[in-house]
Amino acid sequence: MAPRIELSRRQVLLTASVVMLPLPIRAAADVGVVETTKGKAWAAGSPTRDLVAQAVVFLGDEIGTGAESRLAMLLAGTTRILMGPQTTLTIDQFTAEAGGELVLGDGAMLFDRDEGAQKTPVQLSTAFGLIAVRGTRFFAGPSKGKFGVFVERGEVRLSGGGGEVALLPGFGSDIAAPGQPPSQPAAWKQARIEAAMALVGG
């Protein structure tokens, strides 16, 4: 017969308290700060947070804007993101040293990285295609009934539907629908550029 082990009431309570200790919660890393907002802006989560000027944004946040709303935020102290109305953008990864991964859901955005900043790789995923960022300032979003990408400064590569194009300053490309390849690069006229920038307040 196995020996009988008896625990005192104090030992039982100590054992129970060790077992019931909560696991440490890893705090989300902050990756930037909101500079300005116009209208309604938020970060989806549990709970959803309203975003105003100087609000911190965190890794994994899905940032959203309402109708007739806009938001400007600075990521890693080097990259300004302008978001137009009814736009969603998820920050999957972003650091000044390692680059980042962003996901554009709906709407329009302007990516604007300081010219003097380290050219770390950044990828912007969308339902239409993937944008590999080599440059510093570009627009992505609806334009003339299609998904358009326009480069003002630097270079990006736009791929989708089995095709890929390189875009240099002054040139843009369109993707008509998800699964379709991008159009050949073409110089955008000033009126189209101004319409795109007006969407994001750029």
Side-chain angles (χ1 to χ4, degrees):
M1 177 180 293
R4 184 177 179 182
I5 300 175
E6 294 185 359
L7 296 176
S8 68
R9 184 173 181 275
R10 182 173 181 274
Q11 288 174 311
V12 172
L13 290 175
L14 285 173
T15 302
S17 66
V18 171
V19 172
M20 295 175 65
L21 282 174
L23 293 175
I25 298 174
R26 180 178 295 177
D30 60 271
V31 293
V33 63
V34 174
E35 293 186 313
T36 61
T37 60
K38 176 184 176 182
K40 178 73 172 175
W42 63 86
S46 298
T48 295
R49 311 186 318 273
D50 288 334
L51 294 179
V52 296
Q54 301 307 309
V56 175
V57 293
F58 297 95
L59 191 67
D61 271 350
E62 180 185 285
I63 310 299
T65 57
E68 304 300 324
S69 300
R70 287 175 176 79
L71 176 143
M73 60 182 169
L74 185 66
L75 300 182
T78 61
T79 303
R80 185 164 285 102
I81 303 291
L82 305 183
M83 297 172 56
Q86 297 179 303
T87 297
T88 57
L89 182 73
T90 301
I91 307 170
D92 277 349
Q93 175 183 324
F94 211 97
T95 67
E97 298 78 18
E101 295 178 10
L102 306 172
V103 180
L104 179 63
D106 301 313
M109 62 165 282
L110 180 76
F111 179 101
D112 188 4
R113 180 161 54 190
D114 291 345
E115 289 190 84
Q118 183 179 353
K119 301 300 186 289
T120 52
V122 176
Q123 287 193 157
L124 176 65
S125 301
T126 77
F128 294 86
L130 179 68
I131 301 170
V133 181
R134 294 168 180 246
T136 52
R137 185 176 168 94
F138 71 92
F139 165 88
S143 175
K144 297 186 71 172
K146 301 176 182 179
F147 179 79
V149 177
F150 172 77
V151 175
E152 184 175 300
R153 186 176 68 235
E155 178 186 354
V156 305
R157 289 188 175 271
L158 172 62
S159 59
E164 180 179 278
V165 295
L167 299 176
L168 297 174
F171 285 80
S173 176
D174 300 320
I175 298 180
Q180 296 294 311
S183 65
Q184 287 302 305
W188 279 22
K189 295 182 178 180
Q190 188 61 32
R192 186 176 185 187
I193 297 171
E194 290 176 359
M197 295 304 171
L199 272 179
V200 295

